[in-house]
mmCIF file of all heavy atoms in Angstrom:
data_model
loop_
_atom_site.group_PDB
_atom_site.id
_atom_site.type_symbol
_atom_site.label_atom_id
_atom_site.label_comp_id
_atom_site.label_asym_id
_atom_site.label_seq_id
_atom_site.Cartn_x
_atom_site.Cartn_y
_atom_site.Cartn_z
ATOM 1 N N ASN A 1474 -5.596 1.693 3.885
ATOM 2 C CA ASN A 1474 -4.784 2.556 4.749
ATOM 3 C C ASN A 1474 -5.748 3.397 5.578
ATOM 4 O O ASN A 1474 -6.313 4.365 5.081
ATOM 5 C CB ASN A 1474 -3.881 3.452 3.872
ATOM 6 C CG ASN A 1474 -3.111 4.463 4.698
ATOM 7 O OD1 ASN A 1474 -3.051 4.373 5.921
ATOM 8 N ND2 ASN A 1474 -2.514 5.445 4.017
ATOM 9 N N LYS A 1476 -5.089 5.314 7.945
ATOM 10 C CA LYS A 1476 -4.482 6.566 8.426
ATOM 11 C C LYS A 1476 -4.803 6.768 9.914
ATOM 12 O O LYS A 1476 -4.798 5.796 10.667
ATOM 13 C CB LYS A 1476 -4.942 7.757 7.577
ATOM 14 C CG LYS A 1476 -4.737 7.507 6.080
ATOM 15 C CD LYS A 1476 -4.903 8.739 5.253
ATOM 16 C CE LYS A 1476 -4.823 8.367 3.782
ATOM 17 N NZ LYS A 1476 -4.764 9.494 2.891
ATOM 18 N N ILE A 1558 3.572 -0.050 5.305
ATOM 19 C CA ILE A 1558 3.645 1.014 4.300
ATOM 20 C C ILE A 1558 4.846 1.891 4.639
ATOM 21 O O ILE A 1558 5.013 2.287 5.797
ATOM 22 C CB ILE A 1558 2.355 1.874 4.322
ATOM 23 C CG1 ILE A 1558 1.122 1.019 3.988
ATOM 24 C CG2 ILE A 1558 2.472 3.056 3.371
ATOM 25 C CD1 ILE A 1558 -0.221 1.739 4.255
ATOM 26 N N HIS A 1561 4.840 6.893 2.507
ATOM 27 C CA HIS A 1561 3.575 7.513 2.079
ATOM 28 C C HIS A 1561 3.812 9.010 1.883
ATOM 29 O O HIS A 1561 4.569 9.632 2.646
ATOM 30 C CB HIS A 1561 2.483 7.267 3.125
ATOM 31 C CG HIS A 1561 1.128 7.639 2.616
ATOM 32 N ND1 HIS A 1561 0.699 8.949 2.564
ATOM 33 C CD2 HIS A 1561 0.117 6.892 2.104
ATOM 34 C CE1 HIS A 1561 -0.525 8.984 2.043
ATOM 35 N NE2 HIS A 1561 -0.898 7.747 1.761
ATOM 36 N N SER A 1562 3.145 9.609 0.909
ATOM 37 C CA SER A 1562 3.420 11.025 0.607
ATOM 38 C C SER A 1562 3.112 11.930 1.793
ATOM 39 O O SER A 1562 3.729 12.995 1.939
ATOM 40 C CB SER A 1562 2.646 11.470 -0.631
ATOM 41 O OG SER A 1562 1.269 11.366 -0.400
ATOM 42 N N GLU A 1563 2.163 11.512 2.658
ATOM 43 C CA GLU A 1563 1.868 12.338 3.834
ATOM 44 C C GLU A 1563 3.053 12.348 4.794
ATOM 45 O O GLU A 1563 3.232 13.296 5.565
ATOM 46 C CB GLU A 1563 0.578 11.828 4.520
ATOM 47 C CG GLU A 1563 -0.651 12.211 3.711
ATOM 48 C CD GLU A 1563 -1.863 11.320 3.934
ATOM 49 O OE1 GLU A 1563 -1.896 10.557 4.913
ATOM 50 O OE2 GLU A 1563 -2.790 11.396 3.100
ATOM 51 N N CYS A 1591 5.862 3.566 -1.225
ATOM 52 C CA CYS A 1591 5.019 4.519 -1.954
ATOM 53 C C CYS A 1591 5.868 5.507 -2.752
ATOM 54 O O CYS A 1591 6.865 6.039 -2.240
ATOM 55 C CB CYS A 1591 4.146 5.305 -0.982
ATOM 56 S SG CYS A 1591 3.034 4.272 -0.020
ATOM 57 N N GLU A 1627 1.197 6.372 -6.119
ATOM 58 C CA GLU A 1627 0.139 7.252 -5.625
ATOM 59 C C GLU A 1627 0.445 8.695 -6.036
ATOM 60 O O GLU A 1627 1.234 9.382 -5.366
ATOM 61 C CB GLU A 1627 0.066 7.188 -4.097
ATOM 62 C CG GLU A 1627 -0.238 5.819 -3.553
ATOM 63 C CD GLU A 1627 -0.897 5.905 -2.181
ATOM 64 O OE1 GLU A 1627 -0.280 6.470 -1.258
ATOM 65 O OE2 GLU A 1627 -2.033 5.439 -2.047
ATOM 66 N N ALA A 1631 -3.801 13.110 -6.387
ATOM 67 C CA ALA A 1631 -5.004 12.264 -6.465
ATOM 68 C C ALA A 1631 -5.429 11.759 -5.087
ATOM 69 O O ALA A 1631 -6.515 11.203 -4.940
ATOM 70 C CB ALA A 1631 -4.746 11.080 -7.396
ATOM 71 N N ILE A 1632 -4.570 11.956 -4.088
ATOM 72 C CA ILE A 1632 -4.872 11.395 -2.765
ATOM 73 C C ILE A 1632 -5.901 12.263 -2.046
ATOM 74 O O ILE A 1632 -5.662 13.459 -1.795
ATOM 75 C CB ILE A 1632 -3.582 11.259 -1.923
ATOM 76 C CG1 ILE A 1632 -2.664 10.216 -2.582
ATOM 77 C CG2 ILE A 1632 -3.911 10.878 -0.488
ATOM 78 C CD1 ILE A 1632 -1.344 10.017 -1.882
ATOM 79 N N GLY A 1633 -7.043 11.656 -1.763
ATOM 80 C CA GLY A 1633 -8.084 12.342 -0.994
ATOM 81 C C GLY A 1633 -8.763 13.477 -1.711
ATOM 82 O O GLY A 1633 -9.465 14.276 -1.092
ATOM 83 N N THR A 1634 -8.578 13.589 -3.034
ATOM 84 C CA THR A 1634 -9.129 14.732 -3.768
ATOM 85 C C THR A 1634 -10.299 14.362 -4.655
ATOM 86 O O THR A 1634 -10.998 15.245 -5.154
ATOM 87 C CB THR A 1634 -8.044 15.336 -4.696
ATOM 88 O OG1 THR A 1634 -7.601 14.299 -5.589
ATOM 89 C CG2 THR A 1634 -6.857 15.870 -3.901
ATOM 90 N N GLY A 1635 -10.488 13.067 -4.911
ATOM 91 C CA GLY A 1635 -11.522 12.654 -5.872
ATOM 92 C C GLY A 1635 -11.050 12.726 -7.312
ATOM 93 O O GLY A 1635 -11.771 12.361 -8.228
ATOM 94 N N LYS A 1636 -9.801 13.223 -7.508
ATOM 95 C CA LYS A 1636 -9.263 13.297 -8.884
ATOM 96 C C LYS A 1636 -8.412 12.064 -9.148
ATOM 97 O O LYS A 1636 -7.695 11.605 -8.251
ATOM 98 C CB LYS A 1636 -8.361 14.523 -9.047
ATOM 99 C CG LYS A 1636 -9.080 15.820 -8.908
ATOM 100 C CD LYS A 1636 -8.098 16.964 -9.124
ATOM 101 C CE LYS A 1636 -8.756 18.282 -8.768
ATOM 102 N NZ LYS A 1636 -7.803 19.242 -8.224
ATOM 103 N N TYR A 1662 -2.037 0.808 -7.489
ATOM 104 C CA TYR A 1662 -2.385 2.196 -7.739
ATOM 105 C C TYR A 1662 -3.093 2.724 -6.496
ATOM 106 O O TYR A 1662 -3.941 2.021 -5.913
ATOM 107 C CB TYR A 1662 -3.308 2.357 -8.965
ATOM 108 C CG TYR A 1662 -3.844 3.763 -9.001
ATOM 109 C CD1 TYR A 1662 -3.050 4.796 -9.491
ATOM 110 C CD2 TYR A 1662 -5.077 4.081 -8.424
ATOM 111 C CE1 TYR A 1662 -3.487 6.110 -9.422
ATOM 112 C CE2 TYR A 1662 -5.524 5.390 -8.351
ATOM 113 C CZ TYR A 1662 -4.715 6.401 -8.854
ATOM 114 O OH TYR A 1662 -5.127 7.709 -8.768
ATOM 115 N N GLY A 1663 -2.791 3.944 -6.087
ATOM 116 C CA GLY A 1663 -3.492 4.575 -4.974
ATOM 117 C C GLY A 1663 -3.795 6.028 -5.287
ATOM 118 O O GLY A 1663 -2.997 6.720 -5.931
ATOM 119 N N GLY A 1664 -4.949 6.503 -4.808
ATOM 120 C CA GLY A 1664 -5.346 7.896 -5.035
ATOM 121 C C GLY A 1664 -6.785 7.932 -5.502
ATOM 122 O O GLY A 1664 -7.067 7.675 -6.679
ATOM 123 N N SER A 1665 -7.718 8.187 -4.537
ATOM 124 C CA SER A 1665 -9.142 8.329 -4.846
ATOM 125 C C SER A 1665 -9.745 7.104 -5.540
ATOM 126 O O SER A 1665 -10.619 7.247 -6.401
ATOM 127 C CB SER A 1665 -9.385 9.599 -5.671
ATOM 128 O OG SER A 1665 -9.110 10.738 -4.874
ATOM 129 N N VAL A 1666 -9.274 5.899 -5.148
ATOM 130 C CA VAL A 1666 -9.944 4.686 -5.632
ATOM 131 C C VAL A 1666 -11.265 4.551 -4.867
ATOM 132 O O VAL A 1666 -11.295 4.658 -3.638
ATOM 133 C CB VAL A 1666 -9.077 3.426 -5.413
ATOM 134 C CG1 VAL A 1666 -9.834 2.172 -5.853
ATOM 135 C CG2 VAL A 1666 -7.753 3.546 -6.168
ATOM 136 N N LYS A 1667 -12.341 4.356 -5.612
ATOM 137 C CA LYS A 1667 -13.695 4.258 -5.039
ATOM 138 C C LYS A 1667 -14.398 3.070 -5.697
ATOM 139 O O LYS A 1667 -13.960 2.602 -6.745
ATOM 140 C CB LYS A 1667 -14.520 5.525 -5.367
ATOM 141 C CG LYS A 1667 -13.825 6.845 -5.069
ATOM 142 C CD LYS A 1667 -13.923 7.227 -3.612
ATOM 143 C CE LYS A 1667 -13.166 8.521 -3.345
ATOM 144 N NZ LYS A 1667 -12.548 8.602 -2.049
ATOM 145 N N LEU A 1684 -4.112 0.698 -3.200
ATOM 146 C CA LEU A 1684 -3.951 1.198 -1.837
ATOM 147 C C LEU A 1684 -5.052 2.254 -1.659
ATOM 148 O O LEU A 1684 -5.150 3.192 -2.459
ATOM 149 C CB LEU A 1684 -2.555 1.797 -1.650
ATOM 150 C CG LEU A 1684 -2.215 2.345 -0.274
ATOM 151 C CD1 LEU A 1684 -2.374 1.304 0.832
ATOM 152 C CD2 LEU A 1684 -0.757 2.864 -0.254
ATOM 153 N N ILE A 1685 -5.868 2.053 -0.643
ATOM 154 C CA ILE A 1685 -7.098 2.837 -0.531
ATOM 155 C C ILE A 1685 -7.163 3.544 0.815
ATOM 156 O O ILE A 1685 -7.030 2.898 1.861
ATOM 157 C CB ILE A 1685 -8.323 1.902 -0.669
ATOM 158 C CG1 ILE A 1685 -8.213 1.087 -1.968
ATOM 159 C CG2 ILE A 1685 -9.627 2.676 -0.645
ATOM 160 C CD1 ILE A 1685 -8.652 -0.336 -1.797
ATOM 161 N N GLY A 1686 -7.388 4.845 0.769
ATOM 162 C CA GLY A 1686 -7.526 5.618 1.996
ATOM 163 C C GLY A 1686 -8.998 5.773 2.367
ATOM 164 O O GLY A 1686 -9.605 4.888 2.961
ATOM 165 N N GLY A 1687 -9.591 6.890 1.972
ATOM 166 C CA GLY A 1687 -10.951 7.252 2.384
ATOM 167 C C GLY A 1687 -11.977 6.137 2.208
ATOM 168 O O GLY A 1687 -12.776 5.870 3.116
ATOM 169 N N ALA A 1688 -11.955 5.496 1.054
ATOM 170 C CA ALA A 1688 -12.984 4.482 0.763
ATOM 171 C C ALA A 1688 -12.763 3.182 1.526
ATOM 172 O O ALA A 1688 -13.576 2.273 1.425
ATOM 173 C CB ALA A 1688 -13.039 4.216 -0.740
ATOM 174 N N SER A 1689 -11.672 3.105 2.292
ATOM 175 C CA SER A 1689 -11.426 1.869 3.055
ATOM 176 C C SER A 1689 -11.997 1.950 4.468
ATOM 177 O O SER A 1689 -11.913 0.994 5.232
ATOM 178 C CB SER A 1689 -9.920 1.579 3.135
ATOM 179 O OG SER A 1689 -9.278 2.434 4.076
HETATM 180 C C1 PEP B 2579 -3.776 7.093 0.454
HETATM 181 O O1 PEP B 2579 -3.628 8.011 1.241
HETATM 182 O O2 PEP B 2579 -2.947 6.155 0.418
HETATM 183 C C2 PEP B 2579 -4.933 7.119 -0.429
HETATM 184 C C3 PEP B 2579 -4.874 6.441 -1.531
HETATM 185 O O3 PEP B 2579 -5.997 7.889 -0.023
HETATM 186 P P1 PEP B 2579 -7.408 8.091 -0.801
HETATM 187 O O4 PEP B 2579 -7.854 6.735 -1.268
HETATM 188 O O5 PEP B 2579 -8.314 8.665 0.218
HETATM 189 O O6 PEP B 2579 -7.125 8.991 -1.953
#
Side-chain angles (χ1 to χ4, degrees):
N1474 175 13
K1476 308 192 186 189
I1558 299 169
H1561 191 281
S1562 62
E1563 286 156 15
C1591 299
E1627 299 205 301
I1632 294 178
T1634 58
K1636 295 181 189 148
Y1662 169 80
S1665 293
V1666 177
K1667 311 279 178 214
L1684 181 57
I1685 306 140
S1689 76

